[in-house]
Amino acid sequence: MAERKDRVVIVGGGFGGLAAAKALKGADIDLTLIDRRNHHLFQPLLYQVATAALSPSEVAWPIRHLLRQQDNARVLMATVIGVDKAAREVLLEDGTSQPYDTLVLATGAQHAYFGHDEWEAFAPGLKTVEDATAIRRKLLLALEAAERESDAERRRALLTFAIIGAGPTGVEMAGAIVELGRASIRGQFHTIRPEDLRVLLIEGGDRVLPTFRDALSRYTLKSLLGSGVEVELGQMVSGIDAEGVSFGDKRIETRTVIWAAGVAASPVAKWLGIEGDKAGRIKVGPDLSVPEHAEIFVIGDVASIAQDSGKPVPGVAPAAKQAGQHVAKVIRRRQSGNRSPLPFRYKHAGDLATIGKCAAVIDFGAFTLKGWFAWWIWGLAHIYFLVETRTRIIIAMSWLWIYLTGQRSARLITHGEAAKTAPLDEVDED
Amino acid sequence: MAERKDRVVIVGGGFGGLAAAKALKGADIDLTLIDRRNHHLFQPLLYQVATAALSPSEVAWPIRHLLRQQDNARVLMATVIGVDKAAREVLLEDGTSQPYDTLVLATGAQHAYFGHDEWEAFAPGLKTVEDATAIRRKLLLALEAAERESDAERRRALLTFAIIGAGPTGVEMAGAIVELGRASIRGQFHTIRPEDLRVLLIEGGDRVLPTFRDALSRYTLKSLLGSGVEVELGQMVSGIDAEGVSFGDKRIETRTVIWAAGVAASPVAKWLGIEGDKAGRIKVGPDLSVPEHAEIFVIGDVASIAQDSGKPVPGVAPAAKQAGQHVAKVIRRRQSGNRSPLPFRYKHAGDLATIGKCAAVIDFGAFTLKGWFAWWIWGLAHIYFLVETRTRIIIAMSWLWIYLTGQRSARLITHGEAAKTAPLDEVDED
């Protein structure tokens, strides 16, 4: 009988886990990728699903499909509930377990409400396909309810949209909601005028896009204000409920609040019995393995990786991808008997965020871009980084269509009939 | 003050209601189209959403969008709960009402389980976008669960798919499930082989496609059997539960049953206080108005329309469209003072159904088509009848892609994580 191959188990089919799996193509191992979802999600474009520009199947692909040409890999749709480090087994919710020689944990992050979990019901975040369609439903149902509403105050609350957090996701959502609202309202609603729409972006820090350089933050702020977004800086949210949001000494009546403020790592620290940092991330060694467990790697949003610069590696898609590829390299080296340390070096390609039609900012480090040229670069870069050829064509076409006609193709309200619109917060978000 | 315009209220934005609204473009009326959903659904292609070939937004469009260039029309997303014939008002669930001078009821049909409503939980039908994504989820989760399952009997039940009813929808679903299963399994699953898949089509009558002529039924049966579908004719289903389906003296263990057998009209008869036929349809006069209520029209699947031939007008999309256009013509004539009767004459264009890749049947009455040529005609006809230019392009591309590569683009499982897969019937179908 042939010698048993090394079993590599990757948990999580996001950017990090998928990159690791793909970089292990052809390796003489038994690879198992476990995810509780059947699909890899291209999160950078998820806000476009939430704002009805793209369909879910344009930003998500079955993991099986993506790994179909990789003979050493199998995909398991299953939910992990723990890790038995001594037995070297991943424990699954159905009671079975998956043995490993090498384990890669890449389970990503989820929303964090700064200790206010009760806000989640009123302020969904944007992490999964369901989050995106739930937000889309909320946005579109609010417009429908406003069209029917005769009371001016309630109507105003229905037409007010608040986004908490002015990082890239918050900025992109704010810009896209303005566009969705105006494009939808024009000629299609009878009692709402485009100028009735109110979009608020609330940020705890003193500027939008806090991780970008100051000049780009200022440009972004100007762009947002120019397109009609109200920006509230230095405002910590103190309350969110079904009727509105409170911050500082203000109270805004709104039926739609979107959370783009904070994330925390998946419960990997608990699985491993290791203490995580305050966001739940695990401090890994230079080669991304866990201290005292060289056979366990942690990458992506669940890892806290120190850099020589002192700044931690950011929780962005390119960092997760690079980490995945690095781990694959370490695994291949170990297979060939080379166990000398191979430290991970993160290469920062740049920060980019889109603000709205024909406006984006890109920080390449050495230089920056803003305005319509940055917007085109942003679009091309995202099409380039998409995982699948077919989707590249479809998304390019969808964008061109929206650009030329202003019509958003995916304005479907699903899982929410008219019957369920009042009160909006009771719409089943599952 | 200007004289009040005639108020025309249309309930239902399906083929009938939408056709009536569009045919009233430019008429000097106040038109209100009420639907509890925000979208018009192109039902003939819904089975392709259920089998992961198309995305929901490719077969459904916001009704507002479709009527955006029609100044006399407004769209209300609201749920109708009744009609006050004396006051001439449509009653809405939110407690308000909508007055009318002319009312058009076009609310369509829903599934009917022949008195066995308890079957619905185990055998979803295919009427709404949510129905389609729920069936897609069931199909894909069954494959995922089978991949993990080690018990041979349970695995066989997971890989068995039963469709009840061999009308066009049932035949199309059976063919598409075979294709979805084989295309998905090949190279993407490790423990399942394509030949493990079992698709059953169960029909109470003595042939498939009972409304088509006999020669086409025979051809369809041969095609289905050739592609590996097991067809059970003359079999009345006697039981459906979480574990399987019973008919005659047989019991088939399966986790996935799809209902394509019967429909009943929406509760329009109750709203109007008129007795419907056994499927709940209302018998209308030659001009499609309700007896003794010339101001109320009933069209589409809720109407029972007699023809000179003795055969009733069939419950198909072209019939609903023609009826909608006819009602618009009657309304325009009445506006011009002409109240002489204008009887509806249904023009039957033909029956068509697709069986699988390169196989379809078309009955034009004067002649019939079958095989690959019919399949191409079927595809072109459906693209032609699609409501929107953009969707025509996207669907043509999607089909071309599947035709050339065999890859289905929309294999997303949403609203169902791995955690929820066992038992399958407990997955939230809402």
Side-chain angles (χ1 to χ4, degrees):
Chain A
M1 208 178 113
E3 207 185 326
R4 182 173 67 69
K5 289 184 184 175
D6 261 7
R7 294 164 304 193
V8 176
V9 172
I10 301 174
V11 183
F15 284 109
L18 189 66
K22 285 187 160 263
L24 285 166
K25 184 172 181 174
D28 189 30
I29 55 168
D30 266 340
L31 175 66
T32 304
L33 193 153
I34 306 176
D35 199 300
R36 60 181 171 171
R37 321 298 302 251
N38 85 322
H39 50 270
H40 168 76
L41 178 61
F42 193 77
Q43 281 200 353
L45 290 182
L46 194 57
Y47 82 95
Q48 297 215 350
V49 175
T51 52
L54 296 176
S55 289
S57 67
E58 290 168 9
V59 301
W61 311 271
I63 299 168
R64 290 190 189 288
H65 173 73
L66 299 176
L67 293 178
R68 70 192 178 283
Q69 280 156 345
Q70 196 162 329
D71 291 336
N72 65 355
R74 71 185 188 106
V75 177
L76 206 60
M77 185 179 168
T79 299
V80 171
I81 54 165
V83 174
D84 184 336
K85 287 186 293 186
R88 298 200 173 176
E89 283 183 347
V90 170
L91 310 174
L92 304 181
E93 196 175 43
D94 64 5
T96 65
S97 61
Q98 197 64 37
Y100 64 81
D101 299 302
T102 303
L103 176 63
V104 182
L105 296 171
T107 48
Q110 54 208 27
H111 313 299
Y113 288 84
F114 307 144
H116 289 277
D117 288 349
E118 72 277 13
W119 293 352
E120 187 172 9
F122 313 112
L126 190 63
K127 277 281 165 199
T128 66
V129 167
E130 285 85 356
D131 288 343
T133 50
I135 289 175
R136 181 178 74 184
R137 178 166 64 238
K138 261 186 111 103
L139 294 172
L140 298 176
L141 280 179
L143 295 179
E144 294 292 339
E147 173 82 347
R148 289 195 307 269
E149 182 61 64
S150 49
D151 179 85
E153 209 168 300
R154 281 203 294 267
R155 204 152 155 284
R156 189 169 163 78
L158 283 164
L159 291 173
T160 300
F161 303 92
I163 299 126
I164 319 287
T169 301
V171 166
E172 285 167 348
M173 279 301 291
I177 290 175
V178 168
E179 279 173 34
L180 165 67
R182 298 214 173 128
S184 301
I185 291 170
R186 205 178 305 120
Q188 300 193 26
F189 287 83
H190 277 63
T191 68
I192 316 175
R193 293 158 306 166
E195 57 269 31
D196 293 342
L197 200 75
R198 191 177 174 204
V199 178
L200 270 96
L201 183 61
I202 303 163
E203 163 65 35
D206 60 354
R207 60 193 180 102
V208 299
L209 298 181
T211 61
F212 286 58
R213 70 181 68 189
D214 211 39
L216 294 182
S217 287
R218 282 198 305 271
Y219 170 80
T220 302
L221 179 61
K222 220 176 96 184
S223 281
L224 287 169
L225 296 173
S227 69
V229 175
E230 295 171 42
V231 181
E232 297 275 358
L233 295 173
Q235 297 288 6
M236 300 303 289
V237 168
S238 55
I240 305 174
D241 54 53
E243 305 283 313
V245 55
S246 308
F247 52 91
D249 53 2
K250 288 190 193 170
R251 163 78 183 177
I252 304 283
E253 301 295 313
T254 165
R255 299 287 177 275
T256 314
V257 183
I258 292 158
W259 187 260
V263 295
S266 306
V268 161
K270 217 177 78 191
W271 295 353
L272 295 178
I274 296 178
E275 207 177 328
D277 69 8
K278 70 180 196 308
R281 286 183 299 249
I282 288 173
K283 216 175 140 86
V284 291
D287 67 348
L288 307 178
S289 68
V290 173
E292 290 166 54
H293 283 278
E295 78 283 6
I296 303 178
F297 297 92
V298 179
I299 60 174
D301 287 354
V302 273
S304 162
I305 309 168
Q307 290 185 106
D308 296 344
S309 68
K311 281 201 327 194
V313 171
V316 296
K321 268 188 183 175
Q322 290 175 29
Q325 286 156 353
H326 182 82
V327 163
K329 201 184 284 178
V330 174
I331 293 172
R332 282 177 185 274
R333 272 163 62 107
R334 288 185 187 170
Q335 277 237 315
S336 66
N338 182 351
R339 297 190 69 89
S340 65
L342 182 72
F344 173 61
R345 301 244 176 276
Y346 169 60
K347 285 175 215 64
H348 188 66
D351 289 312
L352 69 182
T354 176
I355 310 161
K357 192 170 177 178
C358 291
V361 289
I362 310 183
D363 187 343
F364 283 115
F367 63 102
T368 65
L369 286 176
K370 58 188 193 230
W372 71 265
F373 185 64
W375 187 73
W376 279 97
I377 298 280
W378 174 93
L380 292 174
H382 278 76
I383 286 177
Y384 175 78
F385 283 114
L386 282 170
V387 181
E388 224 211 9
T389 313
R390 182 185 165 281
T391 329
R392 287 199 187 107
I393 305 169
I394 297 270
I395 291 196
M397 265 196 50
S398 292
W399 285 352
L400 190 67
W401 192 268
I402 294 172
Y403 183 78
L404 296 175
T405 67
Q407 294 167 9
R408 288 172 176 251
S409 57
R411 268 170 42 216
L412 288 193
I413 302 176
T414 49
H415 296 274
E417 296 191 353
K420 294 182 181 170
T421 58
L424 273 172
D425 52 286
E426 280 180 14
V427 172
D428 172 24
E429 299 293 328
D430 185 45
Chain B
M1 208 176 120
E3 207 184 326
R4 182 174 66 69
K5 289 183 183 175
D6 261 6
R7 293 163 304 192
V8 176
V9 172
I10 300 174
V11 183
F15 285 109
L18 190 66
K22 284 186 161 267
L24 285 165
K25 185 173 179 174
D28 189 30
I29 54 168
D30 267 338
L31 176 64
T32 303
L33 192 154
I34 306 176
D35 200 300
R36 59 182 173 171
R37 321 298 301 251
N38 84 322
H39 49 269
H40 168 75
L41 178 61
F42 193 76
Q43 282 202 352
L45 290 181
L46 194 57
Y47 82 96
Q48 297 216 350
V49 175
T51 53
L54 296 177
S55 290
S57 67
E58 290 168 10
V59 300
W61 311 271
I63 298 168
R64 288 190 189 290
H65 172 73
L66 299 176
L67 293 178
R68 70 191 178 284
Q69 281 158 344
Q70 196 162 330
D71 291 337
N72 65 354
R74 73 187 187 106
V75 177
L76 205 60
M77 184 178 169
T79 299
V80 171
I81 53 164
V83 174
D84 185 335
K85 288 185 291 186
R88 298 200 174 178
E89 282 184 347
V90 171
L91 309 175
L92 304 181
E93 196 175 43
D94 64 6
T96 65
S97 61
Q98 196 66 38
Y100 64 80
D101 297 302
T102 303
L103 176 63
V104 182
L105 295 171
T107 49
Q110 56 207 25
H111 313 300
Y113 287 83
F114 306 143
H116 289 277
D117 288 348
E118 72 277 13
W119 292 353
E120 187 172 7
F122 312 112
L126 190 62
K127 276 282 165 196
T128 66
V129 167
E130 285 85 357
D131 288 343
T133 52
I135 289 175
R136 182 178 76 184
R137 178 168 64 238
K138 261 187 114 104
L139 293 172
L140 298 175
L141 280 178
L143 295 179
E144 294 291 338
E147 173 81 347
R148 290 195 307 268
E149 182 61 65
S150 50
D151 179 84
E153 210 169 300
R154 280 203 295 266
R155 206 154 154 281
R156 189 168 163 78
L158 284 165
L159 292 172
T160 300
F161 303 93
I163 299 126
I164 319 287
T169 301
V171 166
E172 285 167 348
M173 278 300 291
I177 290 173
V178 168
E179 279 173 32
L180 164 68
R182 297 214 173 128
S184 301
I185 291 169
R186 203 179 306 119
Q188 300 194 25
F189 287 82
H190 277 63
T191 67
I192 317 175
R193 292 159 307 167
E195 57 270 31
D196 294 341
L197 199 76
R198 192 178 175 204
V199 178
L200 271 97
L201 182 60
I202 303 163
E203 163 65 35
D206 61 353
R207 57 191 182 103
V208 300
L209 297 181
T211 61
F212 286 58
R213 71 180 68 189
D214 210 39
L216 295 182
S217 287
R218 281 198 306 271
Y219 170 79
T220 302
L221 178 63
K222 220 176 96 185
S223 280
L224 287 169
L225 296 174
S227 69
V229 175
E230 296 172 42
V231 181
E232 296 275 357
L233 295 173
Q235 296 288 7
M236 299 303 288
V237 168
S238 55
I240 305 175
D241 54 52
E243 306 284 312
V245 55
S246 308
F247 52 91
D249 52 1
K250 287 191 193 170
R251 163 79 183 176
I252 304 283
E253 301 296 312
T254 166
R255 299 286 178 277
T256 314
V257 183
I258 293 158
W259 187 260
V263 295
S266 305
V268 161
K270 217 178 78 190
W271 295 352
L272 295 179
I274 296 178
E275 206 176 331
D277 69 8
K278 71 181 195 306
R281 286 184 299 249
I282 288 174
K283 215 176 140 87
V284 291
D287 68 347
L288 307 179
S289 67
V290 173
E292 290 165 53
H293 282 278
E295 78 283 9
I296 303 179
F297 296 92
V298 178
I299 60 175
D301 287 355
V302 273
S304 163
I305 309 169
Q307 289 186 104
D308 296 342
S309 69
K311 281 201 330 192
V313 172
V316 296
K321 269 188 181 175
Q322 290 176 27
Q325 286 156 353
H326 181 82
V327 164
K329 200 184 283 178
V330 173
I331 292 172
R332 282 178 185 273
R333 270 165 63 107
R334 287 187 187 169
Q335 275 238 314
S336 68
N338 182 351
R339 297 189 71 90
S340 65
L342 184 71
F344 173 61
R345 301 242 176 276
Y346 169 60
K347 284 174 215 67
H348 188 66
D351 289 312
L352 69 182
T354 176
I355 310 161
K357 193 170 176 176
C358 292
V361 288
I362 310 183
D363 187 343
F364 283 115
F367 63 102
T368 65
L369 286 176
K370 58 186 192 230
W372 69 265
F373 184 64
W375 187 73
W376 280 98
I377 297 281
W378 175 91
L380 291 174
H382 279 75
I383 285 177
Y384 175 78
F385 283 115
L386 282 170
V387 182
E388 224 211 7
T389 314
R390 181 185 166 280
T391 329
R392 287 196 187 109
I393 306 169
I394 297 269
I395 291 196
M397 267 197 49
S398 292
W399 284 351
L400 190 66
W401 192 267
I402 294 172
Y403 183 78
L404 296 175
T405 67
Q407 292 167 11
R408 285 169 178 254
S409 58
R411 268 171 42 218
L412 288 194
I413 302 176
T414 49
H415 296 272
E417 298 191 351
K420 294 182 181 168
T421 57
L424 274 171
D425 53 286
E426 280 182 14
V427 172
D428 172 25
E429 299 293 328
D430 184 44

